[in-house]
Amino acid sequence: MDTYDVVVVGGGPGGEVVADRAVRSGLTAVVVEAEAVGGECSYRACVPSKALLRPAAALAAARAVDGARQAVTAALDPAHVLARRDRFTGRGDDTGQADWLDGAGIALVRGHGRLAGERRVEVTGADGSLRTLRARYAVVVCTGTEPVLPPVAGIDGVGVWTSRQATTADAVPERLVVIGGGVVACEMATAWRSLGSSVTMLVRDQALLTGWEPCAGEEVTRGLGDLGVTIRFGVSARRVTRDPATRTVTVDTDDGTTLLCDELLAAVGRRPRTADLGLDSVGLPSGDWLPVDDTCRVTTVEGDWLYAVGDVNHRAPLTHMAKYQARACAAAIAERAAGRPARTGGRQPWSAEADRFAVPQAVFTHPEVASVGLTERAARDAGLAVRAVEYRVDDVAGAALHADDFRGFAKLVVDETRGVVVGCTLTGPMATELIHTATVALVGEVPLERLRHAVPAFPTVSEVWLRLLEAYGL
């Protein structure tokens, strides 16, 4: 049995960071990984998807400025776009990230890890060998999530795309049908349409991005329509089949129509990767999310030894929030290892409390959309006395200079009782970069009376902040 201070199950972004921070604090750590070090984000999610989306965004930015658009003489080159993506992902080769672990003083054990009782993890190697790891202080579960398929007849047998295949495919399908209307569906519809696919989206709801402010879904709907994507709202797939000879997929829908496509992408949600994690060995049901407190300690297991970081705890399923939780988790483990209680509250370094009220999100569609904090509806449902103000970003001088056809929208949600921002949504070029200003305002609980003195430079798109405060009456 090998003993370490901290055993991390899962070598994605959260697992890497929690192990690194633990070692920096003087503890020993080992990462258990069955696939590639770096996790889903590095090879089949955030990194490849943004690599696919960026060339089209750069081309659109050039075409949006008179004098520059005349220099654009060709369309995107799909082969070069896919090759550039592969340079970022290494086509799944994790040598660089594994070497980084070694350089950071973190041990790596390759294989499938399962809990085997308190502070114990059994690892089954690819050759069937079994190895037991013991943790002196903590086991941290960082196994993430996996895509789910919708309940559509025949979908298990057609070779359907999920986010994994949509971000790693080696060829552009002539026709693509996308089931779903969330972030993955919208981004991948944007990417593959930009590369030449004829894209149809089947959206069960009556809007895209339904958990966002309505303006976000409306702007993305308009943008996808401008790209030539067909969106069918209120329509669901009922049955799918693939012709074994032509490889054509037939999609029968609940409105009686039939679609033909070369690939079918299902982007309808994810579930925790805990079904084969040995949760029953510590009294937990298999396949469930792992509820945690602000230190990422699993609350349904006694003692301060089991933690869960990232998507698997269902608090804020985003890579940057997994890393944030990992930093807090490692700090909590180090505190408790030193005999201190690591109490939460008061913005302590071992408390990931911001993922309950200040989670920034960035969607790289055309136009971009970004948000942080609460929507107006969510704020009102939470019982806050709120006031919302809105402003067209394209009315800002810096926006007009940035692009001739700049179109953007900004919405601020203010808690009237405390006089602070509790939510912000932005659409348009640079929305994903501008959102961090709102994140700082939320986390810092900056009063609007003080925020008015943060003067944005002229002429920048950031002047939208001045206009929003003016709209509020300051």
Short mmCIF file of all heavy atoms in Angstrom, two decimals, residues 413-445:
data_model
loop_
_atom_site.label_atom_id
_atom_site.label_comp_id
_atom_site.label_asym_id
_atom_site.label_seq_id
_atom_site.Cartn_x
_atom_site.Cartn_y
_atom_site.Cartn_z
N VAL A 413 -28.11 44.14 -12.88
CA VAL A 413 -29.10 43.87 -11.84
C VAL A 413 -28.53 44.36 -10.52
O VAL A 413 -27.45 43.91 -10.11
CB VAL A 413 -29.46 42.38 -11.77
CG1 VAL A 413 -30.52 42.14 -10.70
CG2 VAL A 413 -29.93 41.87 -13.12
N VAL A 414 -29.24 45.27 -9.88
CA VAL A 414 -28.74 45.92 -8.67
C VAL A 414 -29.62 45.58 -7.48
O VAL A 414 -30.86 45.64 -7.57
CB VAL A 414 -28.70 47.46 -8.86
CG1 VAL A 414 -28.25 48.15 -7.57
CG2 VAL A 414 -27.79 47.83 -10.02
N ASP A 415 -28.99 45.20 -6.38
CA ASP A 415 -29.69 45.00 -5.11
C ASP A 415 -29.89 46.38 -4.49
O ASP A 415 -28.94 47.02 -4.03
CB ASP A 415 -28.84 44.11 -4.20
CG ASP A 415 -29.48 43.87 -2.84
OD1 ASP A 415 -30.49 44.53 -2.52
OD2 ASP A 415 -28.97 43.03 -2.08
N GLU A 416 -31.12 46.86 -4.50
CA GLU A 416 -31.41 48.21 -4.02
C GLU A 416 -31.15 48.37 -2.53
O GLU A 416 -30.80 49.46 -2.07
CB GLU A 416 -32.88 48.56 -4.33
CG GLU A 416 -33.20 48.66 -5.80
CD GLU A 416 -32.87 50.04 -6.36
OE1 GLU A 416 -31.68 50.32 -6.57
OE2 GLU A 416 -33.82 50.83 -6.55
N THR A 417 -31.31 47.30 -1.79
CA THR A 417 -31.11 47.40 -0.33
C THR A 417 -29.66 47.68 0.01
O THR A 417 -29.37 48.53 0.86
CB THR A 417 -31.55 46.08 0.34
OG1 THR A 417 -32.93 45.82 0.02
CG2 THR A 417 -31.39 46.18 1.85
N ARG A 418 -28.74 47.00 -0.66
CA ARG A 418 -27.31 47.19 -0.36
C ARG A 418 -26.62 48.15 -1.32
O ARG A 418 -25.50 48.57 -1.07
CB ARG A 418 -26.59 45.84 -0.39
CG ARG A 418 -27.03 44.87 0.71
CD ARG A 418 -26.21 43.60 0.66
NE ARG A 418 -26.44 42.86 -0.58
CZ ARG A 418 -25.52 42.15 -1.23
NH1 ARG A 418 -24.27 42.12 -0.77
NH2 ARG A 418 -25.82 41.50 -2.33
N GLY A 419 -27.28 48.46 -2.43
CA GLY A 419 -26.67 49.35 -3.40
C GLY A 419 -25.48 48.74 -4.11
O GLY A 419 -24.50 49.44 -4.40
N VAL A 420 -25.56 47.42 -4.42
CA VAL A 420 -24.45 46.73 -5.09
C VAL A 420 -24.98 45.94 -6.28
O VAL A 420 -26.16 45.58 -6.34
CB VAL A 420 -23.71 45.78 -4.13
CG1 VAL A 420 -23.08 46.55 -2.97
CG2 VAL A 420 -24.64 44.69 -3.61
N VAL A 421 -24.08 45.65 -7.21
CA VAL A 421 -24.41 44.83 -8.37
C VAL A 421 -24.50 43.37 -7.94
O VAL A 421 -23.62 42.86 -7.25
CB VAL A 421 -23.34 44.98 -9.46
CG1 VAL A 421 -23.64 44.06 -10.65
CG2 VAL A 421 -23.23 46.43 -9.92
N VAL A 422 -25.57 42.68 -8.37
CA VAL A 422 -25.71 41.25 -8.09
C VAL A 422 -25.79 40.43 -9.36
O VAL A 422 -25.82 39.20 -9.30
CB VAL A 422 -26.93 40.96 -7.19
CG1 VAL A 422 -26.73 41.55 -5.80
CG2 VAL A 422 -28.22 41.47 -7.83
N GLY A 423 -25.83 41.10 -10.52
CA GLY A 423 -25.88 40.35 -11.77
C GLY A 423 -25.56 41.24 -12.95
O GLY A 423 -25.84 42.44 -12.93
N CYS A 424 -24.96 40.65 -13.96
CA CYS A 424 -24.65 41.40 -15.18
C CYS A 424 -24.66 40.43 -16.36
O CYS A 424 -24.15 39.31 -16.26
CB CYS A 424 -23.29 42.08 -15.06
SG CYS A 424 -22.80 43.02 -16.54
N THR A 425 -25.24 40.87 -17.47
CA THR A 425 -25.23 40.10 -18.71
C THR A 425 -24.81 41.02 -19.85
O THR A 425 -25.29 42.15 -19.93
CB THR A 425 -26.61 39.50 -19.02
OG1 THR A 425 -26.97 38.59 -17.96
CG2 THR A 425 -26.61 38.75 -20.33
N LEU A 426 -23.91 40.54 -20.68
CA LEU A 426 -23.41 41.31 -21.81
C LEU A 426 -23.51 40.48 -23.08
O LEU A 426 -23.31 39.26 -23.04
CB LEU A 426 -21.94 41.70 -21.60
CG LEU A 426 -21.62 42.55 -20.36
CD1 LEU A 426 -20.11 42.60 -20.15
CD2 LEU A 426 -22.17 43.96 -20.51
N THR A 427 -23.79 41.12 -24.19
CA THR A 427 -23.74 40.45 -25.49
C THR A 427 -22.94 41.33 -26.44
O THR A 427 -22.79 42.53 -26.24
CB THR A 427 -25.15 40.23 -26.09
OG1 THR A 427 -25.66 41.47 -26.60
CG2 THR A 427 -26.10 39.67 -25.05
N GLY A 428 -22.40 40.70 -27.49
CA GLY A 428 -21.68 41.45 -28.50
C GLY A 428 -20.19 41.18 -28.49
O GLY A 428 -19.69 40.44 -27.63
N PRO A 429 -19.45 41.77 -29.43
CA PRO A 429 -18.00 41.61 -29.47
C PRO A 429 -17.37 42.00 -28.14
O PRO A 429 -17.77 42.98 -27.51
CB PRO A 429 -17.56 42.56 -30.59
CG PRO A 429 -18.76 42.70 -31.46
CD PRO A 429 -19.94 42.62 -30.55
N MET A 430 -16.41 41.21 -27.69
CA MET A 430 -15.65 41.46 -26.46
C MET A 430 -16.46 41.23 -25.18
O MET A 430 -15.96 41.48 -24.09
CB MET A 430 -15.07 42.88 -26.44
CG MET A 430 -14.15 43.18 -27.61
SD MET A 430 -13.56 44.88 -27.61
CE MET A 430 -12.55 44.87 -26.12
N ALA A 431 -17.67 40.71 -25.28
CA ALA A 431 -18.47 40.47 -24.07
C ALA A 431 -17.74 39.54 -23.12
O ALA A 431 -17.78 39.73 -21.89
CB ALA A 431 -19.83 39.89 -24.45
N THR A 432 -17.06 38.54 -23.66
CA THR A 432 -16.38 37.56 -22.80
C THR A 432 -15.19 38.16 -22.08
O THR A 432 -14.77 37.63 -21.05
CB THR A 432 -15.92 36.35 -23.65
OG1 THR A 432 -15.09 36.81 -24.72
CG2 THR A 432 -17.12 35.61 -24.23
N GLU A 433 -14.62 39.24 -22.60
CA GLU A 433 -13.52 39.91 -21.93
C GLU A 433 -14.02 40.97 -20.96
O GLU A 433 -13.43 41.22 -19.90
CB GLU A 433 -12.58 40.56 -22.95
CG GLU A 433 -11.90 39.57 -23.89
CD GLU A 433 -10.93 38.65 -23.16
OE1 GLU A 433 -10.46 39.01 -22.07
OE2 GLU A 433 -10.66 37.55 -23.69
N LEU A 434 -15.14 41.61 -21.29
CA LEU A 434 -15.67 42.68 -20.45
C LEU A 434 -16.30 42.18 -19.16
O LEU A 434 -16.41 42.93 -18.18
CB LEU A 434 -16.73 43.47 -21.23
CG LEU A 434 -16.23 44.33 -22.40
CD1 LEU A 434 -17.42 44.82 -23.22
CD2 LEU A 434 -15.41 45.50 -21.89
N ILE A 435 -16.70 40.91 -19.12
CA ILE A 435 -17.47 40.42 -17.98
C ILE A 435 -16.66 40.40 -16.68
O ILE A 435 -17.24 40.46 -15.59
CB ILE A 435 -18.05 39.01 -18.28
CG1 ILE A 435 -19.21 38.69 -17.33
CG2 ILE A 435 -16.97 37.94 -18.21
CD1 ILE A 435 -20.39 39.62 -17.46
N HIS A 436 -15.33 40.37 -16.77
CA HIS A 436 -14.56 40.28 -15.53
C HIS A 436 -14.72 41.53 -14.67
O HIS A 436 -14.65 41.45 -13.44
CB HIS A 436 -13.08 40.05 -15.82
CG HIS A 436 -12.28 39.74 -14.60
ND1 HIS A 436 -12.55 38.64 -13.79
CD2 HIS A 436 -11.25 40.39 -14.00
CE1 HIS A 436 -11.70 38.63 -12.76
NE2 HIS A 436 -10.91 39.68 -12.87
N THR A 437 -14.96 42.67 -15.29
CA THR A 437 -15.21 43.89 -14.51
C THR A 437 -16.41 43.69 -13.59
O THR A 437 -16.39 44.07 -12.41
CB THR A 437 -15.47 45.08 -15.44
OG1 THR A 437 -14.35 45.26 -16.29
CG2 THR A 437 -15.70 46.36 -14.64
N ALA A 438 -17.46 43.08 -14.13
CA ALA A 438 -18.64 42.81 -13.33
C ALA A 438 -18.35 41.80 -12.23
O ALA A 438 -18.86 41.92 -11.11
CB ALA A 438 -19.78 42.31 -14.22
N THR A 439 -17.52 40.81 -12.53
CA THR A 439 -17.16 39.81 -11.53
C THR A 439 -16.46 40.46 -10.34
O THR A 439 -16.75 40.16 -9.18
CB THR A 439 -16.25 38.73 -12.14
OG1 THR A 439 -16.91 38.15 -13.27
CG2 THR A 439 -15.94 37.64 -11.13
N VAL A 440 -15.53 41.37 -10.63
CA VAL A 440 -14.83 42.08 -9.55
C VAL A 440 -15.83 42.90 -8.73
O VAL A 440 -15.76 42.92 -7.49
CB VAL A 440 -13.73 42.99 -10.13
CG1 VAL A 440 -13.12 43.86 -9.05
CG2 VAL A 440 -12.64 42.15 -10.79
N ALA A 441 -16.77 43.56 -9.39
CA ALA A 441 -17.77 44.36 -8.67
C ALA A 441 -18.62 43.49 -7.75
O ALA A 441 -18.93 43.88 -6.62
CB ALA A 441 -18.64 45.11 -9.67
N LEU A 442 -18.99 42.29 -8.23
CA LEU A 442 -19.81 41.39 -7.42
C LEU A 442 -19.05 40.86 -6.23
O LEU A 442 -19.52 40.92 -5.09
CB LEU A 442 -20.32 40.23 -8.27
CG LEU A 442 -21.75 40.35 -8.82
CD1 LEU A 442 -21.78 41.35 -9.96
CD2 LEU A 442 -22.25 39.00 -9.30
N VAL A 443 -17.87 40.30 -6.49
CA VAL A 443 -17.10 39.68 -5.41
C VAL A 443 -16.67 40.73 -4.38
O VAL A 443 -16.68 40.48 -3.18
CB VAL A 443 -15.88 38.95 -5.98
CG1 VAL A 443 -14.99 38.42 -4.85
CG2 VAL A 443 -16.32 37.78 -6.86
N GLY A 444 -16.31 41.91 -4.87
CA GLY A 444 -15.90 42.98 -3.96
C GLY A 444 -17.06 43.70 -3.29
O GLY A 444 -16.84 44.54 -2.41
N GLU A 445 -18.30 43.38 -3.72
CA GLU A 445 -19.49 44.07 -3.21
C GLU A 445 -19.27 45.58 -3.21
O GLU A 445 -19.52 46.29 -2.24
CB GLU A 445 -19.84 43.58 -1.80
CG GLU A 445 -20.22 42.11 -1.76
CD GLU A 445 -20.55 41.62 -0.37
OE1 GLU A 445 -19.67 41.61 0.50
OE2 GLU A 445 -21.72 41.25 -0.15
#
